[in-house]
Amino acid sequence: MKTFINQAAQGDLLIRRIESLPEGIELIKPEKGVHVVAHSETGHNHVIEARPNVSLYTTNDPMISYLEVIEATDEAETVIKHLRSFDTHESIKINPGIYEIRRQREYTPEGWRRVED
């Protein structure tokens, strides 16, 4: 399992530690016991288990979200997992803190598009 200090990537996600949450964000409720950090076009989402110490936020920009992890009172780790049984991205341990999560994009002859994972 990967760990990081300031920045990490998992497939089409770029995760960056920041100092504080911006204004104008909206809390996202968990779906079926997990926070879906990024929906995958193939159904292999990037998720974090829903816990009281984890909050995920959305913005007006579909390419950016925010994650807040408060020090857990139990022994459970906060981990971003890629839900695919083959050719999967390594899980990433998220330490307590505030993070900006960006969907990566790529240039094609038709123009910029979100990277599909």
Side-chain angles (χ1 to χ4, degrees):
M1 180 178 329
K2 289 183 183 179
T3 59
F4 70 100
I5 296 175
N6 292 317
Q7 188 169 286
Q10 185 185 64
D12 57 339
L13 297 181
L14 178 63
I15 306 155
R16 184 174 66 97
R17 184 185 288 269
I18 59 174
E19 292 295 319
S20 62
L21 291 169
E23 293 185 22
I25 58 176
E26 182 180 326
L27 185 66
I28 301 173
K29 293 185 179 184
E31 300 175 18
K32 299 179 183 177
V34 296
H35 291 285
V36 179
V37 177
H39 288 276
S40 172
E41 295 75 17
T42 59
H44 303 116
N45 298 332
H46 300 260
V47 301
I48 294 176
E49 186 177 324
R51 294 201 176 103
N53 67 311
V54 176
S55 297
L56 184 64
Y57 301 91
T58 188
T59 69
N60 292 334
D61 185 338
M63 301 289 281
I64 301 173
S65 59
Y66 293 92
L67 175 68
E68 181 177 33
V69 178
I70 300 169
E71 187 70 44
T73 56
D74 60 8
E75 296 290 324
E77 295 179 321
T78 301
V79 177
I80 296 181
K81 297 178 183 176
H82 185 217
L83 300 181
R84 186 164 61 184
S85 60
F86 62 95
D87 192 28
T88 188
H89 305 300
E90 187 175 2
S91 295
I92 300 175
K93 179 182 174 187
I94 305 292
N95 292 316
I98 299 171
Y99 301 89
E100 177 185 75
I101 300 175
R102 288 188 174 259
R103 298 292 299 263
Q104 296 192 59
R105 58 190 190 140
E106 62 189 357
Y107 184 78
T108 68
E110 294 79 30
W112 289 98
R113 70 174 186 178
R114 188 179 77 200
V115 172
E116 294 182 2
D117 183 29

